Amino acid sequence: MNRHALITEKKGAGPEKSDQKAPPSPAPSPSAPITTLDSGLARIYTHLHPLLVLSLFFFRFQATVEDPVTTLTNGLAPLGILQIIYVVLCLPATGSSTPSSAAKPTPKPSRGKKTQAGKGDGGVAGRTVPAMLSHLLTTLLATPLLTIILILFGAPVTSKLWETLLCAAHMSALAIMPLVYVHGVDEGRWWEVASLMSPVDEVFGAAIGTMVGAWAGAVPIPLDWDREWQKWPVTIVTGAYMGWAVGKLLGGTLLRGKRIDLG
Amino acid sequence: MATLVIANLLIPAAVLTFAAGFFPYKPFLPGLAEHDVSERGEMPPAQFDKVILMVVDALRSDFVFGKSSGFKFTQSLIANGAALPFTAHATSPTVTMPRVKAITTGSIPSFLDVILNFAESDTTSTLAYQDTWLAQIKAKGGNLVMHGDDTWLKLFPETFYRADGTTSFFVSDFTEVDNNVTRHVPDELRANDWNALIMHYLGLDHIGHKAGPLSPNMIPKQQEMDGIVQQIFEAIENDPHLQSTLLVLCGDHGMTDGGNHGGSAPGETSPALVFISPKFKSISTGLDSPVEPHQDFDFYTKVEQSDIVPTIAGLLGLPVSLNNLGVFISELLPLWKNERHHVLLLLNNVWQMHTLVKTAFPHEAYEHPYSQLDCSDPSSSGMKLVCKWRRITDIIRVSDGREPAPPVILPALIDFCKSAQEIMSSTASNYNMAYLLSGIALAFLSVALTTTSARSIIFRLNAASLYFGLVLVLYGILMFASSYVEEEHHFWYWTTCGWIALLCLQTLLGSYIKREGISKTIFKAAALLLFHRLVRAWNQTGQKHSGEPDFVTSFLLPNPHTVWILVGVTYFMLSLSLGSHLCRHIPPTYHVLTHIAAAGIAIPAFIFKLSFTARDAPEIVRPVVGESGMRVLEGLSLVLIARAVFLLCALGTVWVISLEVWGRSPAKRNAPRGVELFDALHAILSIFLITQTRAHNVPLFLLFSLQFLCLRDALGLQSTQTQITISTLLFAHTSFFALGNTNAISSIDLSNAYNGVAGYDVGVVGLLVFLSNWSGPVWWAWGGICLLASQGALFGYLALQTLFIAGSLLAIMVACTALRTHLFIWTVFSPKYLYAMAWSLGWHLLVCCYGLGAIWWAMGVS
Ligand SMILES: [Zn+2]
Ligand SMILES: [Zn+2]
């Protein structure tokens, strides 16, 4: 298996699962990877999306270096809108194969059906509501959890808390929000994701990429280059964005359908 | 297996071969310099007949010359011309012993002297048989007197006519060490039997180590030192027998803003140097004082520390010491009214230095002043010096037998001296490339042998072995980046986080398949991460942010009660753990007695910690035990309690092992031996290691124990050798830095080096230094052994760890060789190599391989 996935995914594991205490009900039968919607627009936008997000980030990079708190705060809304557009246009909503549960995500024991995702049930407007719901859910739940994980991984505690919190918010918008959109609150699917049993697809790949990228982003901080951009949390956020893009690309193409083997 | 043993034997061979080439033992010219009047003409007349050298340890330039200095009297002398101020550049390593060598011999001590600084009684480091200005005074029949730091007594055994040495043992001692010196001053000023009086004050250095240069004790200490300058100066002015006495006030090195020294930051390399005598008023009208520095800590004229040697020699009319690389300080030349004497002084200096240069860069032009020499474009350093020498001989030749005019020849003389000083001090030319390359080849061979013998484990291509590869390769790359060598802790903290996450995911995968224990796994991983986060917040380490607040300085030290509660809990848990391990072999009726016996080891250890800390850091003991408690604690004999603790630990070990061998109950006789035995020994080892640890770091061992329990649980029974090896390596390195260590010489903690040692024994003190600085890694090494003991397979562990140690050594050796002309070679890479030596020889070979041997033995017994 690819080294990347093997070595380093870790943060992705923490956040989603800790809020569910019960043991998983599902049998560990493998589920299939998420397929992007079958419309022409979806196929184009799914490749356009990373370019938009990355250029939005790098366009504001200098400002991020100069004033991380303001810039990252202002960047949250555009990122959220782009991500909502992306999931609405390209991804099957949770349980989308069963029309009744399109808007209100419910635990769904029947997985595997999602594989034929993408009839576009409910239309774009109908999918926007779950998209916004998942964005809200992610921001409320995943951001504090990711903040705690960032601190456990070494983020400063006595200072720069806002920076860390915003870093976590960006990471959850990138990595967790699409996961929530496609998996809803299906406990079984989440356990699968958490223990990396889930097959790689562009959503899962992007999530892993974000976490690994954020982790690798810590490397340049101690170097004595004395550059402004080495300050917290610029490298972490940059790493997360780049890891997200790489993970999304690889997960959607080369590594699609593969499984991560930690043996 | 045999290949692996050979690979391990190659490690010390590689380390020592490389060290021999990297830290060349500098040959010095033996004997004493003599002035041959028939060959080199008369000596310039002496200006002084007595010298008082007052060394104030860590006296940074701004402490004397700056605006907020306490040296008001000295500053008034500078202003009226009776004192000539300089900033004396001290080369790295800025620790006391090499600096004293530079002040007395004028040579630039090699890095080897740092090791010898910690093994001071080594005879090769004594200066008794080297040429120093002290030896020159003695050769002329003069008497030497010394009061203060006993480094001088170790460096100059049987040299002093009268001496009172003080040991720099507890840095909390700000007053005793100095009063010990000061009480001799009035008598010595009255006595008329000495020619050189050396005083070395340690208090200011101790204040720096304890609380930094801004400590409230700093200014009073400076005023105290200034008062002594005043006392001496007034005696010189008034006492006829002292009228031609020179007072030299200097620091041996400076200090950083954190109060430490050893490296080459501007603060550390800029001690003050002041020549004081009423006679200087004739050549100086005074300088502004106090002043602002030109930059950093550069006040007034900057000279080299070794320049003190030829200058004192000239002022006292002595020949310049043979191995001197200093240049006579030209600001003092006007003391001689006759300009001929200026030339003679510098000629002596040049003549002495050219003898050294000749030895280092032999060239026929030194013997044949008329030979052909092309100086249009001197390429090598040796050629540059030959050409500067030729310039001098040419001037003398054209003057045709008469003495050349001073203004003509003086610049050439000074130019030669300064260039020789610069070139000879830079050590780049001194490496022995053959040794360096053989060391690298041996290390490479060790890596290759390990890889072949363990290829089945290394190339298994699972997540753990890939992570191992990532750690090794990244570590190797980082060794080439000076900033990462300084901030190495970040690497280990970072990789440990990743490893905990990976372990968590691996375990989750297993739990997911079995559909149980998922939340337990997550809880354990979170606990491991939380403890790891606490561990890394404990001590601020590294260079960049040294001295910034951390958990210890901002929380523990202001709350002494918390410190002692945590320390007490740590000892209690260890005692409990040892007791319960022992109870397994003992009938229930005796369990209470067994626990009491276990406490019999922990309680004396705790009393030792209290009593030691009462002297080492009284401020965190006094609020807890009160004044009367302090008196009791200070009355205890540290050496005796330490010996009792060590003896009890040894007895405990014997007890545990004999219970294991003979005391097994018949029911358990067939149960696998090992895990419990090693756990019990781990508890005893912890008590010993904590004895070697400062009080505020003791609770870290409690955190280590918690981490260890989580880790053992997380690894579970089906842990692989690869997982155990990686965990041991990562947690051992993390603990090393978390305890406050760095890759710089200045952070080596010597405070626990003399526990239980009454006299001086290089072997024992060296071992205690190692154990007190590597207490965390040794603890985790044994933790790894405990994990392995349940598993039984040693080969993979030994193979992977050997691969890591040999691989990292190889990287460091290549980095040191490739960057040997780099600016940071002496400040960053050489210390790192010394640390790598300790890791590979001490930690890997001594501790880990010893532990593996113990398991092997235990398996054999059962
Ligand atoms: Zn010193
Ligand atoms: Zn010191």
Side-chain angles (χ1 to χ4, degrees), chain A residues 6-7 9-10 13 17 25 151 153 155 191 195 215 219 222 224 262-263, chain B residues 462 466-467 483-484 494 497 501-502 505-506 509 512 515 518 522 533 536:
Chain A
L6 277 176
I7 335 175
E9 51 285 336
K10 61 286 114 30
K17 35 191 165 54
S25 45
I151 286 174
F153 269 72
W191 284 119
S195 41
W215 183 64
V219 173
D224 62 348
L262 288 181
Chain B
N462 53 28
L466 283 177
Y467 199 79
S483 47
Y484 248 114
W494 179 74
C497 283
L502 186 62
L505 289 173
Q506 286 184 327
L509 203 66
Y512 182 77
R515 296 216 265 146
I518 295 190
I522 291 165
R533 187 70 184 85
R536 60 193 275 186

mmCIF file of all heavy atoms in Angstrom, chain A residues 6-7 9-10 13 17 25 151 153 155 191 195 215 219 222 224 262-263, chain B residues 462 466-467 483-484 494 497 501-502 505-506 509 512 515 518 522 533 536:
data_model
loop_
_atom_site.group_PDB
_atom_site.id
_atom_site.type_symbol
_atom_site.label_atom_id
_atom_site.label_comp_id
_atom_site.label_asym_id
_atom_site.label_seq_id
_atom_site.Cartn_x
_atom_site.Cartn_y
_atom_site.Cartn_z
ATOM 1 N N LEU A 6 -0.186 4.716 4.872
ATOM 2 C CA LEU A 6 0.235 3.790 5.911
ATOM 3 C C LEU A 6 0.763 4.490 7.128
ATOM 4 O O LEU A 6 0.456 4.134 8.252
ATOM 5 C CB LEU A 6 1.365 2.933 5.358
ATOM 6 C CG LEU A 6 0.890 1.765 4.548
ATOM 7 C CD1 LEU A 6 2.090 1.064 3.979
ATOM 8 C CD2 LEU A 6 0.121 0.829 5.452
ATOM 9 N N ILE A 7 1.610 5.455 6.882
ATOM 10 C CA ILE A 7 2.411 5.918 7.992
ATOM 11 C C ILE A 7 1.679 6.817 8.940
ATOM 12 O O ILE A 7 1.888 6.742 10.124
ATOM 13 C CB ILE A 7 3.625 6.681 7.481
ATOM 14 C CG1 ILE A 7 3.946 6.201 6.092
ATOM 15 C CG2 ILE A 7 4.769 6.431 8.375
ATOM 16 C CD1 ILE A 7 5.017 6.960 5.471
ATOM 17 N N GLU A 9 -1.701 8.555 9.170
ATOM 18 C CA GLU A 9 -3.011 9.082 9.522
ATOM 19 C C GLU A 9 -3.238 8.842 10.999
ATOM 20 O O GLU A 9 -2.990 7.789 11.524
ATOM 21 C CB GLU A 9 -4.128 8.432 8.726
ATOM 22 C CG GLU A 9 -4.119 6.956 8.729
ATOM 23 C CD GLU A 9 -3.019 6.461 7.836
ATOM 24 O OE1 GLU A 9 -2.607 7.193 6.930
ATOM 25 O OE2 GLU A 9 -2.554 5.375 8.069
ATOM 26 N N LYS A 10 -3.659 9.888 11.650
ATOM 27 C CA LYS A 10 -3.899 9.722 13.070
ATOM 28 C C LYS A 10 -4.994 10.635 13.555
ATOM 29 O O LYS A 10 -5.841 10.216 14.299
ATOM 30 C CB LYS A 10 -2.634 9.913 13.890
ATOM 31 C CG LYS A 10 -1.937 11.249 13.844
ATOM 32 C CD LYS A 10 -1.178 11.584 12.595
ATOM 33 C CE LYS A 10 -1.595 12.664 11.722
ATOM 34 N NZ LYS A 10 -2.178 13.763 11.814
ATOM 35 N N ALA A 13 -8.582 9.910 13.103
ATOM 36 C CA ALA A 13 -9.177 8.859 13.897
ATOM 37 C C ALA A 13 -9.911 9.424 15.097
ATOM 38 O O ALA A 13 -10.982 8.956 15.441
ATOM 39 C CB ALA A 13 -8.104 7.921 14.365
ATOM 40 N N LYS A 17 -14.963 9.753 16.411
ATOM 41 C CA LYS A 17 -15.475 8.617 17.149
ATOM 42 C C LYS A 17 -15.718 8.912 18.615
ATOM 43 O O LYS A 17 -16.586 8.332 19.214
ATOM 44 C CB LYS A 17 -14.533 7.442 17.045
ATOM 45 C CG LYS A 17 -13.119 7.890 17.019
ATOM 46 C CD LYS A 17 -12.283 6.712 16.651
ATOM 47 C CE LYS A 17 -10.920 7.031 16.243
ATOM 48 N NZ LYS A 17 -10.031 7.746 16.917
ATOM 49 N N SER A 25 -22.579 -1.412 15.809
ATOM 50 C CA SER A 25 -23.501 -2.504 15.571
ATOM 51 C C SER A 25 -23.136 -3.309 14.326
ATOM 52 O O SER A 25 -23.382 -4.496 14.281
ATOM 53 C CB SER A 25 -24.914 -1.939 15.445
ATOM 54 O OG SER A 25 -24.877 -0.795 14.625
ATOM 55 N N ILE A 151 -3.977 20.401 20.255
ATOM 56 C CA ILE A 151 -3.231 20.721 21.473
ATOM 57 C C ILE A 151 -2.501 19.491 21.985
ATOM 58 O O ILE A 151 -1.328 19.556 22.367
ATOM 59 C CB ILE A 151 -4.183 21.303 22.541
ATOM 60 C CG1 ILE A 151 -4.555 22.724 22.148
ATOM 61 C CG2 ILE A 151 -3.524 21.304 23.915
ATOM 62 C CD1 ILE A 151 -5.581 23.365 23.031
ATOM 63 N N PHE A 153 -1.377 17.219 20.229
ATOM 64 C CA PHE A 153 -0.254 17.009 19.318
ATOM 65 C C PHE A 153 0.801 18.099 19.442
ATOM 66 O O PHE A 153 1.762 18.102 18.698
ATOM 67 C CB PHE A 153 -0.754 16.910 17.874
ATOM 68 C CG PHE A 153 -1.059 15.505 17.462
ATOM 69 C CD1 PHE A 153 -2.178 14.858 17.959
ATOM 70 C CD2 PHE A 153 -0.221 14.809 16.618
ATOM 71 C CE1 PHE A 153 -2.449 13.555 17.609
ATOM 72 C CE2 PHE A 153 -0.490 13.502 16.265
ATOM 73 C CZ PHE A 153 -1.615 12.870 16.756
ATOM 74 N N ALA A 155 0.151 21.772 19.975
ATOM 75 C CA ALA A 155 -0.167 23.179 19.791
ATOM 76 C C ALA A 155 0.001 23.914 21.114
ATOM 77 O O ALA A 155 -0.209 23.337 22.169
ATOM 78 C CB ALA A 155 -1.601 23.321 19.296
ATOM 79 N N TRP A 191 -17.521 4.337 12.495
ATOM 80 C CA TRP A 191 -16.516 3.435 13.095
ATOM 81 C C TRP A 191 -15.593 2.908 12.013
ATOM 82 O O TRP A 191 -14.388 2.757 12.207
ATOM 83 C CB TRP A 191 -17.184 2.275 13.826
ATOM 84 C CG TRP A 191 -17.748 2.695 15.141
ATOM 85 C CD1 TRP A 191 -19.055 2.638 15.535
ATOM 86 C CD2 TRP A 191 -17.018 3.265 16.231
ATOM 87 N NE1 TRP A 191 -19.194 3.142 16.798
ATOM 88 C CE2 TRP A 191 -17.960 3.543 17.255
ATOM 89 C CE3 TRP A 191 -15.683 3.594 16.450
ATOM 90 C CZ2 TRP A 191 -17.603 4.103 18.470
ATOM 91 C CZ3 TRP A 191 -15.329 4.157 17.657
ATOM 92 C CH2 TRP A 191 -16.279 4.404 18.650
ATOM 93 N N SER A 195 -11.596 3.521 12.094
ATOM 94 C CA SER A 195 -10.577 2.482 12.173
ATOM 95 C C SER A 195 -9.960 2.220 10.800
ATOM 96 O O SER A 195 -9.326 1.199 10.592
ATOM 97 C CB SER A 195 -11.168 1.222 12.762
ATOM 98 O OG SER A 195 -12.450 0.998 12.233
ATOM 99 N N TRP A 215 -0.139 17.363 10.042
ATOM 100 C CA TRP A 215 0.921 16.786 10.885
ATOM 101 C C TRP A 215 2.289 17.113 10.284
ATOM 102 O O TRP A 215 3.191 17.579 10.972
ATOM 103 C CB TRP A 215 0.712 15.275 10.979
ATOM 104 C CG TRP A 215 1.684 14.567 11.859
ATOM 105 C CD1 TRP A 215 1.833 14.734 13.199
ATOM 106 C CD2 TRP A 215 2.628 13.576 11.454
ATOM 107 N NE1 TRP A 215 2.814 13.892 13.661
ATOM 108 C CE2 TRP A 215 3.322 13.170 12.613
ATOM 109 C CE3 TRP A 215 2.957 12.980 10.233
ATOM 110 C CZ2 TRP A 215 4.317 12.214 12.591
ATOM 111 C CZ3 TRP A 215 3.949 12.014 10.209
ATOM 112 C CH2 TRP A 215 4.620 11.644 11.380
ATOM 113 N N VAL A 219 6.800 20.314 10.458
ATOM 114 C CA VAL A 219 8.243 20.109 10.262
ATOM 115 C C VAL A 219 9.036 21.413 10.109
ATOM 116 O O VAL A 219 10.074 21.576 10.744
ATOM 117 C CB VAL A 219 8.480 19.153 9.080
ATOM 118 C CG1 VAL A 219 9.955 19.054 8.750
ATOM 119 C CG2 VAL A 219 7.940 17.781 9.418
ATOM 120 N N PRO A 222 10.657 24.509 13.415
ATOM 121 C CA PRO A 222 11.892 24.781 14.178
ATOM 122 C C PRO A 222 13.079 25.250 13.341
ATOM 123 O O PRO A 222 14.089 25.637 13.920
ATOM 124 C CB PRO A 222 12.233 23.418 14.811
ATOM 125 C CG PRO A 222 11.035 22.562 14.608
ATOM 126 C CD PRO A 222 10.366 23.074 13.396
ATOM 127 N N ASP A 224 15.804 27.384 11.308
ATOM 128 C CA ASP A 224 16.244 28.745 11.651
ATOM 129 C C ASP A 224 16.227 29.680 10.445
ATOM 130 O O ASP A 224 17.105 30.490 10.263
ATOM 131 C CB ASP A 224 17.649 28.717 12.268
ATOM 132 C CG ASP A 224 18.667 28.171 11.303
ATOM 133 O OD1 ASP A 224 18.252 27.610 10.264
ATOM 134 O OD2 ASP A 224 19.874 28.297 11.568
ATOM 135 N N LEU A 262 -2.767 -1.507 7.846
ATOM 136 C CA LEU A 262 -1.794 -1.112 8.874
ATOM 137 C C LEU A 262 -1.076 -2.311 9.459
ATOM 138 O O LEU A 262 -0.307 -2.175 10.399
ATOM 139 C CB LEU A 262 -2.496 -0.353 9.996
ATOM 140 C CG LEU A 262 -2.963 1.047 9.626
ATOM 141 C CD1 LEU A 262 -3.622 1.699 10.806
ATOM 142 C CD2 LEU A 262 -1.795 1.876 9.160
ATOM 143 N N GLY A 263 -1.359 -3.496 8.973
ATOM 144 C CA GLY A 263 -0.729 -4.706 9.546
ATOM 145 C C GLY A 263 0.750 -4.545 9.536
ATOM 146 O O GLY A 263 1.531 -4.795 10.337
ATOM 147 N N ASN B 462 5.417 -3.437 6.666
ATOM 148 C CA ASN B 462 4.138 -3.114 7.292
ATOM 149 C C ASN B 462 4.220 -1.692 7.835
ATOM 150 O O ASN B 462 5.274 -1.047 7.752
ATOM 151 C CB ASN B 462 3.791 -4.121 8.382
ATOM 152 C CG ASN B 462 4.911 -4.272 9.377
ATOM 153 O OD1 ASN B 462 5.681 -3.336 9.578
ATOM 154 N ND2 ASN B 462 5.027 -5.433 9.983
ATOM 155 N N LEU B 466 7.624 0.641 8.223
ATOM 156 C CA LEU B 466 7.745 1.839 7.388
ATOM 157 C C LEU B 466 7.907 3.085 8.253
ATOM 158 O O LEU B 466 8.666 3.985 7.930
ATOM 159 C CB LEU B 466 6.516 1.976 6.481
ATOM 160 C CG LEU B 466 6.534 1.043 5.275
ATOM 161 C CD1 LEU B 466 5.248 1.192 4.488
ATOM 162 C CD2 LEU B 466 7.732 1.343 4.382
ATOM 163 N N TYR B 467 7.202 3.100 9.368
ATOM 164 C CA TYR B 467 7.346 4.252 10.269
ATOM 165 C C TYR B 467 8.770 4.307 10.810
ATOM 166 O O TYR B 467 9.373 5.380 10.899
ATOM 167 C CB TYR B 467 6.345 4.155 11.425
ATOM 168 C CG TYR B 467 6.129 5.481 12.116
ATOM 169 C CD1 TYR B 467 5.312 6.445 11.561
ATOM 170 C CD2 TYR B 467 6.759 5.775 13.323
ATOM 171 C CE1 TYR B 467 5.122 7.664 12.171
ATOM 172 C CE2 TYR B 467 6.576 6.997 13.948
ATOM 173 C CZ TYR B 467 5.753 7.942 13.363
ATOM 174 O OH TYR B 467 5.572 9.155 13.966
ATOM 175 N N SER B 483 19.854 23.971 12.858
ATOM 176 C CA SER B 483 18.759 24.386 13.729
ATOM 177 C C SER B 483 18.009 23.182 14.280
ATOM 178 O O SER B 483 17.530 23.201 15.402
ATOM 179 C CB SER B 483 17.805 25.299 12.971
ATOM 180 O OG SER B 483 17.490 24.760 11.724
ATOM 181 N N TYR B 484 17.917 22.110 13.471
ATOM 182 C CA TYR B 484 17.223 20.939 13.978
ATOM 183 C C TYR B 484 18.074 20.177 14.983
ATOM 184 O O TYR B 484 17.550 19.502 15.873
ATOM 185 C CB TYR B 484 16.764 20.018 12.846
ATOM 186 C CG TYR B 484 15.260 19.995 12.729
ATOM 187 C CD1 TYR B 484 14.596 20.507 11.629
ATOM 188 C CD2 TYR B 484 14.492 19.474 13.767
ATOM 189 C CE1 TYR B 484 13.220 20.512 11.551
ATOM 190 C CE2 TYR B 484 13.116 19.474 13.706
ATOM 191 C CZ TYR B 484 12.488 19.992 12.596
ATOM 192 O OH TYR B 484 11.123 19.995 12.539
ATOM 193 N N TRP B 494 7.348 15.147 17.924
ATOM 194 C CA TRP B 494 6.479 15.045 16.753
ATOM 195 C C TRP B 494 6.304 13.589 16.321
ATOM 196 O O TRP B 494 5.187 13.116 16.104
ATOM 197 C CB TRP B 494 7.120 15.885 15.645
ATOM 198 C CG TRP B 494 6.440 15.922 14.331
ATOM 199 C CD1 TRP B 494 5.298 16.591 14.018
ATOM 200 C CD2 TRP B 494 6.897 15.304 13.124
ATOM 201 N NE1 TRP B 494 5.011 16.420 12.699
ATOM 202 C CE2 TRP B 494 5.971 15.638 12.117
ATOM 203 C CE3 TRP B 494 7.978 14.505 12.786
ATOM 204 C CZ2 TRP B 494 6.104 15.191 10.811
ATOM 205 C CZ3 TRP B 494 8.116 14.063 11.494
ATOM 206 C CH2 TRP B 494 7.194 14.402 10.516
ATOM 207 N N CYS B 497 4.087 11.623 18.753
ATOM 208 C CA CYS B 497 2.657 11.855 18.516
ATOM 209 C C CYS B 497 2.153 10.978 17.389
ATOM 210 O O CYS B 497 1.140 10.290 17.511
ATOM 211 C CB CYS B 497 2.414 13.314 18.102
ATOM 212 S SG CYS B 497 2.462 14.455 19.445
ATOM 213 N N ALA B 501 -0.629 7.826 17.507
ATOM 214 C CA ALA B 501 -1.811 7.772 16.652
ATOM 215 C C ALA B 501 -1.829 6.500 15.818
ATOM 216 O O ALA B 501 -2.859 5.837 15.676
ATOM 217 C CB ALA B 501 -1.847 8.996 15.747
ATOM 218 N N LEU B 502 -0.667 6.144 15.287
ATOM 219 C CA LEU B 502 -0.604 4.944 14.453
ATOM 220 C C LEU B 502 -0.916 3.698 15.272
ATOM 221 O O LEU B 502 -1.686 2.828 14.840
ATOM 222 C CB LEU B 502 0.793 4.848 13.830
ATOM 223 C CG LEU B 502 0.989 3.735 12.805
ATOM 224 C CD1 LEU B 502 0.064 3.937 11.635
ATOM 225 C CD2 LEU B 502 2.419 3.697 12.322
ATOM 226 N N LEU B 505 -4.561 3.533 15.827
ATOM 227 C CA LEU B 505 -5.297 3.071 14.653
ATOM 228 C C LEU B 505 -5.124 1.573 14.448
ATOM 229 O O LEU B 505 -6.069 0.866 14.098
ATOM 230 C CB LEU B 505 -4.826 3.828 13.410
ATOM 231 C CG LEU B 505 -5.267 5.282 13.370
ATOM 232 C CD1 LEU B 505 -4.638 6.006 12.209
ATOM 233 C CD2 LEU B 505 -6.785 5.349 13.272
ATOM 234 N N GLN B 506 -3.907 1.087 14.671
ATOM 235 C CA GLN B 506 -3.672 -0.348 14.517
ATOM 236 C C GLN B 506 -4.529 -1.143 15.494
ATOM 237 O O GLN B 506 -5.135 -2.153 15.139
ATOM 238 C CB GLN B 506 -2.198 -0.665 14.750
ATOM 239 C CG GLN B 506 -1.317 -0.228 13.591
ATOM 240 C CD GLN B 506 0.116 -0.649 13.802
ATOM 241 O OE1 GLN B 506 0.594 -0.695 14.925
ATOM 242 N NE2 GLN B 506 0.799 -0.941 12.720
ATOM 243 N N LEU B 509 -8.218 -1.088 14.569
ATOM 244 C CA LEU B 509 -8.514 -2.005 13.490
ATOM 245 C C LEU B 509 -8.815 -3.379 14.076
ATOM 246 O O LEU B 509 -9.810 -4.022 13.724
ATOM 247 C CB LEU B 509 -7.300 -2.070 12.558
ATOM 248 C CG LEU B 509 -7.568 -2.510 11.135
ATOM 249 C CD1 LEU B 509 -8.421 -1.468 10.464
ATOM 250 C CD2 LEU B 509 -6.245 -2.665 10.417
ATOM 251 N N TYR B 512 -12.036 -3.245 15.937
ATOM 252 C CA TYR B 512 -13.179 -3.145 15.044
ATOM 253 C C TYR B 512 -13.547 -4.525 14.532
ATOM 254 O O TYR B 512 -14.723 -4.880 14.459
ATOM 255 C CB TYR B 512 -12.845 -2.222 13.876
ATOM 256 C CG TYR B 512 -14.000 -2.024 12.938
ATOM 257 C CD1 TYR B 512 -15.051 -1.172 13.288
ATOM 258 C CD2 TYR B 512 -14.064 -2.695 11.728
ATOM 259 C CE1 TYR B 512 -16.122 -0.999 12.464
ATOM 260 C CE2 TYR B 512 -15.145 -2.527 10.883
ATOM 261 C CZ TYR B 512 -16.174 -1.673 11.257
ATOM 262 O OH TYR B 512 -17.237 -1.502 10.433
ATOM 263 N N ARG B 515 -14.960 -6.253 17.281
ATOM 264 C CA ARG B 515 -16.121 -5.492 17.719
ATOM 265 C C ARG B 515 -16.141 -5.321 19.236
ATOM 266 O O ARG B 515 -17.165 -5.473 19.882
ATOM 267 C CB ARG B 515 -17.408 -6.173 17.255
ATOM 268 C CG ARG B 515 -17.467 -6.161 15.746
ATOM 269 C CD ARG B 515 -18.850 -5.981 15.275
ATOM 270 N NE ARG B 515 -19.506 -7.237 14.972
ATOM 271 C CZ ARG B 515 -20.807 -7.436 15.171
ATOM 272 N NH1 ARG B 515 -21.538 -6.504 15.692
ATOM 273 N NH2 ARG B 515 -21.351 -8.563 14.845
ATOM 274 N N ILE B 518 -13.350 -0.712 21.606
ATOM 275 C CA ILE B 518 -13.001 0.454 20.788
ATOM 276 C C ILE B 518 -12.841 1.703 21.644
ATOM 277 O O ILE B 518 -11.828 2.405 21.570
ATOM 278 C CB ILE B 518 -14.063 0.689 19.698
ATOM 279 C CG1 ILE B 518 -14.050 -0.497 18.746
ATOM 280 C CG2 ILE B 518 -13.777 1.976 18.956
ATOM 281 C CD1 ILE B 518 -14.854 -0.289 17.524
ATOM 282 N N ILE B 522 -9.488 4.105 22.343
ATOM 283 C CA ILE B 522 -9.426 5.552 22.126
ATOM 284 C C ILE B 522 -9.067 6.266 23.418
ATOM 285 O O ILE B 522 -8.237 7.175 23.450
ATOM 286 C CB ILE B 522 -10.771 6.057 21.582
ATOM 287 C CG1 ILE B 522 -10.947 5.517 20.172
ATOM 288 C CG2 ILE B 522 -10.823 7.567 21.585
ATOM 289 C CD1 ILE B 522 -12.341 5.634 19.670
ATOM 290 N N ARG B 533 1.800 15.186 26.138
ATOM 291 C CA ARG B 533 1.719 16.648 26.067
ATOM 292 C C ARG B 533 2.235 17.268 27.357
ATOM 293 O O ARG B 533 2.937 18.282 27.345
ATOM 294 C CB ARG B 533 0.265 17.058 25.830
ATOM 295 C CG ARG B 533 0.067 18.538 25.566
ATOM 296 C CD ARG B 533 0.644 18.902 24.214
ATOM 297 N NE ARG B 533 0.566 20.328 23.959
ATOM 298 C CZ ARG B 533 1.457 21.216 24.360
ATOM 299 N NH1 ARG B 533 2.494 20.808 25.054
ATOM 300 N NH2 ARG B 533 1.323 22.491 24.079
ATOM 301 N N ARG B 536 6.070 16.986 27.532
ATOM 302 C CA ARG B 536 6.836 17.932 26.715
ATOM 303 C C ARG B 536 6.692 19.367 27.199
ATOM 304 O O ARG B 536 7.524 20.216 26.876
ATOM 305 C CB ARG B 536 6.481 17.798 25.231
ATOM 306 C CG ARG B 536 5.041 18.045 24.886
ATOM 307 C CD ARG B 536 4.742 17.589 23.478
ATOM 308 N NE ARG B 536 5.069 18.612 22.496
ATOM 309 C CZ ARG B 536 4.803 18.518 21.212
ATOM 310 N NH1 ARG B 536 4.237 17.429 20.739
ATOM 311 N NH2 ARG B 536 5.097 19.470 20.389
#
